[in-house]
Amino acid sequence: MIHTFPPKPRYFPSAKILLNEEVSLGYSMMMAAVPKDFTFAPGQFLMVRVNHQLSPFLGRPMAIMSVEDGKLIFCYRVVGKGTGVLAQMRKNDVLQMWGPLGIPFSLPENGPVALLAGGVGMPPLYSAAETLFKIRKSAKGIYFFYGGRTSADVFFVDKLERFCEKVFVTAEDGSIGVRGLVTLPFSEFLKDRQRDSLHVAGCGPYPMMKSIAEICSQKGIPCEVSLEERMACGVGVCLGCTALCASSQGEKSWIRLCVEGPVIDSSRVIWNRSR
Amino acid sequence: MSDVKSLSVKVGSLELKNPIIAASGTFGYGLEYKDYYPPGELGAVIVKGVSVEPMTGNETPRICETTAGMLNAIGLQNPGLEAFIRDKVPLFESLGAPVLINLFGQRVKDFPLLAKRLSECEGIAGFELNISCPNVEAGGLEFASDPKAVRKIVEAVCKVTSFPVWVKLAPYYGIAVDVARAAEEGGASALTVANTYPALAIDIERKRPLLANITGGLSGPAIKPLTLYHVWKIAERVKIPIVASGGVMGAEDAVEYLMAGACAVQIGTVHFVNPAAGLEIVSSLRQWLEKSPYSSLAEVVGLGRVPSNS
Ligand SMILES: Cc1cc2nc3c(=O)[nH]c(=O)nc-3n(C[C@H](O)[C@H](O)[C@H](O)COP(=O)(O)OP(=O)(O)OC[C@H]3O[C@@H](n4cnc5c(N)ncnc54)[C@H](O)[C@@H]3O)c2cc1C
Ligand SMILES: Cc1cc2nc3c(=O)[nH]c(=O)nc-3n(C[C@H](O)[C@H](O)[C@H](O)COP(=O)(O)O)c2cc1C
Ligand code: FES
């Protein structure tokens, strides 16, 4: 495994926005200034408050996509109040942020890796692909499966192709790549290869995480998923972001996704039928 | 050059180096914010509530945002007394601030049981009794709306511990003053005023409550004027010190509570909008006092009080 000891989180009361632009219909990319020594591990996130006002009140969790030379990037989909206000922010406005937070993906130094992203689950896996590529100095064995409902949900494929041996693209409406769910090319991929050493990581909607966990458990492939829950503090104190999990002894317990997640071994998740 | 004025305050017998206290359930077990500032900067820390048995808490969503505040329905998730003593209590001595343990139970006898066992542990400065929970022996009626039960609880706890006992009231109109007096008569050393307000939010797209538990407790700046009202009303009727808790976002809110009659102030939800809030509030309170004509915060307590007209 690549041992990336997650760095200590820090608070940035006013991180200056360097760029905030739409990158695909309904999706934007935010670039903010952070100190040059800021580092993170793929899968970690930030809590972002869009301004110092009382509304929107709570921070929003956002996965870190990349950090280079004091420029931090995250991508977001506009789904509600918080992300709506975020989309209206301009260059030189400031963000209140704290992070990096949470447990990152464990990335193997060698051997094939399959990264499965659904829609706005792409950014943390983008950073996983980029990190793997930089450490291994090769794209060989890095496979990216990237699905959305339509072509608008799938972007930065050209960038990803620099880090990956192959990027498999799917859209439910067939407007780009293969028509269907991302599990389709993934299942095909699993068929014609020896999978002893394959390592799988996923981030996307709950039903997608559940189905890749099922596929991997049937085939005995280790799989990590990044899960979502509403968050308030991001540091483990409010107990808002819990998910039901099993310990290695099979005992059920709630874990806090902001500190014991968001990335978790998929075999530990007790999947909720109603979601 | 004048000496730097001291921020220290006394809550009964407990001396705090400043009046800013982390509120239960918003500061974990004291070390979770250590990457942002040392917890020893605070006047005291009140840790997440503990019960006799472990509690798993509610389904999610457990939290949601509201205008200038939030709702929570965590369901008092905690590891239970024995795991708390094993895993959490040993950390307290390293905090550098006095630690009070927030206790809650479902029966009157749970409270003295918890207090007795925890009084044997090192590193504890006092207890805060959370009475905003249903009493299973009284058909689920909340202790917080039952002055008799509250008096019984406080008497039973004071019998088994020599540590200060604070009682954390619910902000219920009509009954809060009676409960406050019952707690005082039972022997409480101070009152925390108050817990969150029962509240609701509905997702109009999905046409259902936002919280899995349906209702939750409202906290944050939205409640400050409401809790200020309770502090004012209760301060009129009791002699023991009042510790305010509700919606403090900055030093000026803290001063407002002191002027209403509180002698210390808890900060809760503000941690979630600024992880360095504790540090910032203490330092701006220091600046406020320096600029003020007062030589200590004790002089500020009750300054805003004028005779009530009711
Ligand atoms: C660890 C983590 C990393 C994340 N990374 C990203 C990212 O890189 N890019 C990105 O666009 N989003 C990311 N999210 C999701 C993002 O935090 C939510 O979309 C955001 O909080 C919505 O805020 P809002 O005010 O716009 O929406 P709201 O007005 O709060 O809600 C609008 C809709 O969004 C849904 N929603 C709200 N919060 C969440 C949530 N936490 N998870 C899932 N759905 C939610 C609600 O159910 C509702 O339907 C991440 C979430 C987590 C937990
Ligand atoms: C997420 C959360 C969890 C809480 N847990 C507890 C608890 O375990 N025991 C308790 O007495 N109060 C608990 N409270 C109430 C707070 O301690 C505080 O009294 C209340 O939130 C009002 O103050 P505030 O507006 O500064 O947050 C909790 C509040 C929040 C927001
Ligand atoms: S967001 Fe508060 S405990 Fe995870």
Side-chain angles (χ1 to χ4, degrees):
Chain A
M1 288 299 149
I2 297 170
H3 287 287
T4 37
F5 290 104
K8 281 189 179 173
R10 282 187 266 175
Y11 175 45
F12 305 103
S14 14
K16 196 185 251 182
I17 294 176
L18 303 172
L19 188 77
N20 183 23
E21 62 177 23
E22 190 166 73
V23 287
S24 184
L25 189 65
Y27 294 86
S28 290
M29 181 178 95
M30 177 74 80
M31 188 193 283
V34 289
K36 289 230 163 46
D37 63 351
F38 183 97
T39 56
F40 77 106
Q44 289 195 288
F45 66 99
L46 296 163
M47 289 300 284
V48 179
R49 272 196 91 218
V50 292
N51 53 36
H52 287 263
Q53 309 297 311
L54 292 182
S55 172
F57 188 67
L58 296 173
R60 302 293 194 266
M62 289 291 159
I64 303 170
M65 184 163 114
S66 77
V67 176
E68 214 178 301
D69 200 25
K71 298 186 182 84
L72 179 146
I73 292 175
F74 64 86
C75 279
Y76 58 97
R77 184 155 84 99
V78 179
V79 295
K81 189 173 176 184
T83 48
V85 175
L86 208 55
Q88 287 161 20
M89 308 212 67
R90 299 276 163 267
K91 194 177 166 180
N92 293 332
D93 287 347
V94 294
L95 296 173
Q96 213 185 326
M97 322 191 294
W98 55 102
L101 303 166
I103 303 283
F105 291 109
S106 45
L107 303 172
E109 241 154 306
N110 319 296
V113 180
L115 306 171
L116 283 83
V120 80
M122 176 274 289
L125 295 171
Y126 179 104
S127 75
E130 184 177 16
T131 303
L132 283 169
F133 174 76
K134 282 188 175 157
I135 287 174
R136 296 176 172 192
K137 301 187 178 64
S138 155
K140 202 169 173 315
I142 306 173
Y143 303 97
F144 208 100
F145 298 82
Y146 189 2
R149 269 164 308 151
T150 84
S151 58
D153 301 321
V154 182
F155 52 95
F156 288 168
V157 173
D158 52 334
K159 291 183 201 271
L160 283 165
E161 278 170 340
R162 294 194 315 236
F163 312 132
C164 302
E165 179 171 336
K166 190 163 166 52
V167 180
F168 300 83
V169 171
T170 64
E172 285 170 50
D173 68 355
S175 55
I176 186 173
V178 172
R179 178 190 297 270
L181 299 172
V182 76
T183 41
L184 200 74
F186 180 58
S187 300
E188 283 298 311
F189 169 84
L190 290 179
K191 261 187 213 153
D192 41 67
R193 59 175 301 118
Q194 291 185 322
R195 32 176 209 265
D196 341 342
S197 62
L198 184 67
H199 188 93
V200 177
C203 183
Y206 195 83
M208 171 184 161
M209 294 302 97
K210 199 167 148 179
S211 60
I212 67 169
E214 264 158 28
I215 295 171
C216 290
S217 101
Q218 277 165 17
K219 310 229 169 192
I221 303 169
C223 169
E224 286 181 321
V225 290
S226 181
L227 298 182
E228 282 192 17
E229 192 44 80
R230 284 176 175 265
M231 295 186 174
C233 66
V235 307
V237 303
C238 75
L239 307 183
C241 65
T242 48
L244 200 56
C245 278
S247 71
S248 40
Q249 290 85 41
E251 252 173 70
K252 280 189 192 179
S253 68
W254 291 104
I255 64 156
R256 296 160 299 175
L257 287 175
C258 66
V259 288
E260 284 107 13
V263 175
I264 163 169
D265 181 337
S266 69
S267 64
R268 288 185 57 203
V269 182
I270 297 172
W271 299 94
N272 184 334
R273 272 167 295 127
S274 64
R275 281 180 70 176
Chain B
M1 278 274 303
S2 65
D3 281 0
V4 177
K5 297 175 188 173
S6 159
L7 287 180
S8 70
V9 295
K10 276 184 90 170
V11 181
S13 59
L14 204 60
E15 191 146 352
L16 309 179
K17 70 175 170 219
N18 69 61
I20 305 301
I21 301 171
S24 178
T26 66
F27 208 71
Y29 297 99
L31 286 170
E32 285 83 344
Y33 279 105
K34 68 176 185 320
D35 293 326
Y36 304 90
Y37 65 94
E41 295 289 333
L42 296 167
V45 169
I46 305 181
V47 297
K48 176 72 187 167
V50 59
S51 54
V52 178
E53 298 298 329
M55 288 184 64
T56 53
N58 293 329
E59 291 293 319
T60 57
R62 292 174 167 192
I63 50 174
C64 76
E65 175 179 280
T66 58
T67 305
M70 66 177 285
L71 301 185
N72 89 80
I74 307 302
L76 297 164
Q77 180 184 334
N78 81 93
L81 179 62
E82 290 311 318
F84 178 84
I85 290 174
R86 189 186 62 228
D87 304 333
K88 309 296 182 191
V89 174
L91 308 172
F92 297 160
E93 265 173 319
S94 68
L95 296 194
V99 175
L100 285 95
I101 318 284
N102 182 275
L103 307 178
F104 70 95
Q106 293 176 314
R107 292 169 193 77
V108 171
K109 68 174 197 307
D110 291 354
F111 289 87
L113 194 157
L114 289 160
K116 183 158 192 251
R117 182 81 176 82
L118 285 161
S119 295
E120 297 158 5
C121 301
E122 301 282 322
I124 289 170
F127 298 108
E128 182 184 65
L129 312 183
N130 176 8
I131 53 170
S132 299
C133 28
N135 177 358
V136 296
E137 290 162 333
L141 175 72
E142 261 190 41
F143 293 116
S145 43
D146 183 353
K148 281 205 190 91
V150 168
R151 187 175 167 151
K152 258 201 230 161
I153 289 173
V154 181
E155 278 173 353
V157 170
C158 291
K159 229 180 252 164
V160 299
T161 184
S162 50
F163 286 108
V165 175
W166 300 2
V167 177
K168 185 166 182 176
L169 306 178
Y172 299 155
Y173 295 87
I175 189 86
V177 171
D178 292 337
V179 176
R181 287 170 61 92
E184 181 176 40
E185 284 158 13
S189 4
L191 299 171
T192 300
V193 183
N195 217 310
T196 54
Y197 292 72
L200 180 78
I202 289 176
D203 182 337
I204 60 171
E205 300 286 323
R206 296 173 61 225
K207 300 178 279 291
R208 53 183 306 160
L210 269 156
L211 297 179
N213 187 56
I214 304 176
T215 62
L218 179 63
S219 66
I223 70 172
K224 195 196 68 184
L226 306 177
T227 298
L228 202 58
Y229 169 94
H230 289 293
V231 168
W232 182 280
K233 290 288 179 193
I234 291 167
E236 223 155 55
R237 303 288 299 278
V238 300
K239 293 196 180 62
I240 52 176
I242 291 175
V243 178
S245 170
V248 172
M249 296 295 282
E252 287 173 7
D253 300 319
V255 172
E256 210 176 333
Y257 274 121
L258 297 179
M259 290 190 173
C263 63
V265 173
Q266 297 186 8
I267 54 171
T269 305
V270 68
H271 299 296
F272 308 159
V273 306
N274 174 357
L279 188 66
E280 290 178 17
I281 293 174
V282 170
S283 92
S284 46
L285 188 62
R286 183 169 293 122
Q287 284 169 23
W288 181 88
L289 185 65
E290 284 303 321
K291 284 198 200 126
S292 79
Y294 315 112
S295 59
S296 76
L297 285 175
E299 283 175 49
V300 180
V301 174
L303 263 189
R305 297 195 68 88
V306 294
S308 269
N309 47 17
S310 63

